[in-house]
Amino acid sequence: MTVEEPRTTIGTSEAEELRARLAGEATALRRRLDERSVKEQELRADCLLDAADVSATAEALRQHRTHTENERTHLARLESALERLENGGFGSCVRCGTEIAPERLRALPHLEHCLRCRTDLERSQSVPR
C-alpha cells in the first residue's frame, strides 16, 4: 500500500511511520471492541441472574457502553486518518483546509482539525442552548 505525499511538512517516510502507528492502533482497538462485545453480554447476563445487584450491574453496563462508544469514535478517527493518508488529504484540516501543525500530527496523527477550528468547535459545543 502506497502512502501519498501528505500536504504537510511531514515527509513520506514519517507518513509511513504514522500510517503503521495508526494501523496498529486501529487493529488493537478493533480487538478491544470485540472483547467489549463479549463483556457486555456477560454484564447483561449478570443483570438477569442477580436481581439483588441489578442497579450496580446496570451502572457497570452503562459505563461499559460509554467506554465502548468512545472507543468506536476513536476507531472511526483512526480509520479516517488512514484514509486521508492514502488519498492525500492527511495533514489538512477537514473543516478549513489549512495545514495542521506537524507537531500536533506527530503527537496525535488522527487529528482532523487545525487548532483554530478545534477551538471554534469546542466553543460552539459549550454554548448553552
Side-chain angles (χ1 to χ4, degrees):
M1 201 176 290
T2 304
V3 174
E4 192 167 316
E5 185 73 29
R7 290 188 255 180
T8 69
T9 54
I10 291 176
T12 303
S13 65
E14 191 171 5
E16 280 291 340
E17 290 174 20
L18 290 174
R19 188 199 63 74
R21 185 172 139 199
L22 287 163
E25 282 184 52
T27 298
L29 204 47
R30 283 186 202 98
R31 194 173 305 123
R32 275 201 316 267
L33 285 167
D34 288 343
E35 292 166 1
R36 283 188 165 284
S37 178
V38 171
K39 180 66 176 174
E40 183 170 338
Q41 290 172 2
E42 291 170 1
L43 286 169
R44 285 182 184 195
D46 283 351
C47 278
L48 297 174
L49 294 176
D50 191 1
D53 205 20
V54 168
S55 65
T57 305
E59 177 59 20
L61 184 56
R62 187 195 64 74
Q63 288 178 3
H64 178 79
R65 286 179 178 157
T66 298
H67 292 299
T68 300
E69 187 56 37
N70 290 341
E71 287 186 344
R72 282 189 184 124
T73 299
H74 187 62
L75 178 59
R77 287 185 180 138
L78 292 172
E79 290 172 339
S80 177
L82 284 166
E83 185 177 315
R84 288 191 309 278
L85 261 170
E86 298 300 323
N87 297 325
F90 184 79
S92 297
C93 177
V94 297
R95 186 173 180 214
C96 72
T98 61
E99 181 181 342
I100 298 172
E103 307 80 43
R104 293 184 70 224
L105 287 173
R106 287 182 190 105
L108 300 166
H110 62 277
L111 290 178
E112 298 176 321
H113 300 97
C114 65
L115 191 54
R116 187 185 78 232
C117 287
R118 183 76 221 148
T119 302
D120 290 347
L121 288 168
E122 288 173 359
R123 281 187 189 137
S124 69
Q125 291 172 353
S126 67
V127 174
R129 296 181 191 250

